[in-house]
Amino acid sequence: MNRIFQTFLVAAVVAFALPAAFGQRFSAWSDPVNMESIPGTSTEFNTPFGDGCPIQAPDGLSFYIASNRTGGMGGQDIWVSTRAATDAPWGPFVNVGAPINSSSDDFCPSPAPGNILFFVSSRPAPGACGGADIYRTRRSGTTWEEPQNLGCEINSPGTEWSPSYFQDENGHGVLYFASNRPDGHTPGGTDLDIYYTVDFGPAQLAPGVNTEFDDARPNVRHDGLEIVFDSTRPGTLGGPDIWTAKRGSTSSDWEAPVHLPAPINSAGSETRASLSWDGKTMVVGSNRPGSEVDGNGNPSGDVWVMTRDRLPDPKTTTADFDGDGISDVSVFRPTDGTWHVLQSSDGQYSVQYFGLSNDKAVPGDYDGDGKTDYAVFRPSNSYWYIRYSSDSSFHAVPWGLASDVLAPADYDGDGKTDIAVYRGGTWFILRSSDGNVDYRYFGTGSDIPVPSAQ
């Protein structure tokens, strides 16, 4: 692996990933619409030919597909459409040309931050591993560098599909893709399976998403917490359908995949779904009714799009004791362990005894009922004492050291505050969603964690 390239790519993804929030929540997907039905979109966006493998670039200004439409260099070629702003319509597709396209099939484009493009090609290049392999290139100005094969630890004698790159929480580069290589999920099977590689090391089967059926063309949201892919497993409505899975962190296993309902899926074939950088748009290749008709009178593969809204993050206020969505004016008095609250909902003043002298206040919504719970950390024994507002139950949890910086917050996106401490650049998080311990390395010894309770 080209280490200079790897270092550049990881640095580029870090720059893009800093604003990302773990545990994002979204509304349900809208009904899909043909891209050409969006006002202003080029009437040449879809054609009677096979237009598939759709995906937006991270900046939302370029849109890539694979197509065998006329004007290409042979077989499947990679094409790109551009627009001036993220709220502007898409223009016509232009063939990206050599050196990305060749006289062989070139498909499954996957742009990454830093003007990087992964794609798949069956070109007979030196070092090819057999079938179609994954390549990567970088654009410098208006010129694409000569594509480089990712090597035979990642590629195989079979065919690879749909590379999808992201950076995990520990700064490692992760590439997901599909392959029909031998000895996959099902011994002796020839079905498609989903694989991944960390820092461009050897390929590994992705746990939790493969079956004895075809599981193909994965696309992972840029924070690594959501995956979409197409599969022929039981439950589909016709051909391959789109399935999705989520997880609380990139070190966790994927939850059980969920079949997306009609009309997202149809009696036709839905393949290579992909998510925009902000997670609010999903595009898919489909030959469902409403697609342009090919030369035989059948629906061709067209690009379809659906959207969803980003939901407000679970309330992270640490002072909403009455649950009206507004922080209450309140204080904790460590000299006698009392909480003094002026409720915003009705102006009522209350005093609550909870804690001892010299305890540290760590209020939060630990039970997820939308109200702040009374909670303290006791340095003398490193216990967290919490009284749930939902049922007044009492909970005592040992966590951290007296010298730690207390940093309770909702790190797994389940709407509940997690018990957490910060220790010289290391975060120790007790996840409320599954009780697992999450270690994260971010910051230095002199830094102050943003969700600090001190």
Side-chain angles (χ1 to χ4, degrees):
M1 176 62 198
N2 185 320
R3 293 297 171 185
I4 296 177
F5 173 84
Q6 180 178 332
T7 301
F8 178 88
L9 180 56
V10 169
V13 174
V14 168
F16 267 80
L18 285 176
F22 296 101
Q24 297 180 76
R25 301 189 308 139
F26 298 91
S27 65
W29 289 109
S30 67
D31 290 352
V33 297
N34 192 292
M35 285 290 290
E36 286 191 9
S37 69
I38 300 174
T41 298
S42 170
T43 57
E44 300 177 16
F45 200 92
N46 287 316
T47 68
F49 297 89
D51 303 314
C53 279
I55 189 169
Q56 288 189 49
D59 62 6
L61 301 180
S62 299
F63 195 114
Y64 291 83
I65 62 167
S67 177
N68 62 350
R69 62 180 64 192
T70 57
M73 299 177 62
Q76 290 279 331
D77 270 5
I78 294 172
W79 301 70
V80 63
S81 168
T82 58
R83 59 183 178 181
T86 55
D87 58 352
W90 293 105
F93 278 105
V94 176
N95 191 291
V96 299
I100 293 174
N101 287 322
S102 67
S103 59
S104 302
D105 285 329
D106 306 290
F107 55 99
C108 284
S110 185
N115 295 323
I116 305 298
L117 181 72
F118 295 93
F119 66 99
V120 180
S121 178
S122 61
R123 65 189 64 192
C129 305
D133 288 348
I134 302 173
Y135 289 77
R136 52 97 170 92
T137 181
R138 176 190 169 201
R139 189 179 70 246
S140 179
T142 59
T143 303
W144 289 100
E145 298 174 353
E146 190 65 29
Q148 299 180 34
N149 189 297
L150 292 190
C152 299
E153 281 193 320
I154 296 174
N155 293 310
S156 74
T159 292
E160 279 64 54
W161 278 271
S162 192
S164 177
Y165 184 89
F166 67 92
Q167 185 185 19
D168 71 14
E169 296 162 21
N170 296 314
H172 296 290
V174 182
L175 185 75
Y176 268 67
F177 60 96
S179 176
N180 65 353
R181 65 189 64 197
D183 300 321
H185 173 270
T186 305
T190 58
D191 58 299
L192 281 160
D193 290 316
I194 296 173
Y195 292 80
Y196 72 100
T197 170
V198 178
D199 292 336
F200 301 99
Q204 309 173 59
L205 275 167
V209 292
N210 289 310
T211 66
E212 64 270 30
F213 300 89
D214 282 338
D215 303 296
R217 290 166 284 269
N219 180 261
V220 183
R221 198 173 71 203
H222 84 274
D223 59 8
L225 303 184
E226 181 179 18
I227 185 173
V228 290
F229 60 97
D230 57 86
S231 177
T232 60
R233 65 185 66 192
T236 63
L237 302 180
D241 275 4
I242 305 304
W243 296 68
T244 183
K246 299 178 181 179
R247 57 185 176 182
S249 73
T250 58
S251 59
S252 302
D253 290 340
W254 292 107
E255 298 174 1
V258 175
H259 178 254
L260 293 178
I264 297 171
N265 286 308
S266 73
S269 295
E270 280 70 49
T271 59
R272 215 287 176 98
S274 66
L275 301 168
S276 60
W277 185 265
D278 60 10
K280 297 195 293 184
T281 300
M282 181 167 66
V283 291
V284 63
S286 177
N287 63 355
R288 66 181 62 211
S291 300
E292 296 197 31
V293 177
D294 64 19
N296 297 318
N298 300 314
S300 65
D302 274 2
V303 180
W304 293 72
V305 61
M306 59 220 76
T307 59
R308 63 184 179 182
D309 294 322
R310 170 80 186 275
L311 298 177
D313 291 332
K315 286 191 299 182
T316 56
T317 176
T318 55
D320 183 12
F321 293 91
D322 54 6
D324 66 349
I326 301 173
S327 291
D328 303 316
V329 175
S330 52
V331 297
F332 173 70
R333 193 161 293 162
T335 55
D336 60 3
T338 56
W339 300 70
H340 301 256
V341 180
L342 184 63
Q343 295 185 170
S344 58
S345 58
D346 55 12
Q348 180 177 342
Y349 167 72
S350 63
V351 178
Q352 175 67 47
Y353 291 89
F354 192 83
L356 300 176
S357 176
N358 297 320
D359 284 348
K360 296 181 178 180
V362 284
D365 187 5
Y366 295 90
D367 56 1
D369 68 345
K371 297 181 180 180
T372 297
D373 304 317
Y374 296 107
V376 295
F377 174 78
R378 190 158 297 162
S380 61
N381 61 5
S382 297
Y383 265 76
W384 297 61
Y385 297 99
I386 305 166
R387 195 186 79 176
Y388 284 180
S389 58
S390 56
D391 57 10
S392 297
S393 59
F394 176 77
H395 302 264
V397 181
W399 195 256
L401 303 174
S403 57
D404 289 339
V405 178
L406 309 176
D410 181 12
Y411 296 94
D412 53 8
D414 66 348
K416 299 179 181 180
T417 299
D418 303 315
I419 294 174
V421 298
Y422 178 80
R423 188 180 303 161
T426 303
W427 302 67
F428 300 85
I429 302 168
L430 183 60
R431 293 161 50 89
S432 57
S433 58
D434 53 18
N436 290 332
V437 179
D438 192 354
Y439 302 95
R440 302 188 190 178
Y441 303 95
F442 190 81
T444 66
S446 59
D447 289 341
I448 299 174
V450 172
S452 173
Q454 298 175 305

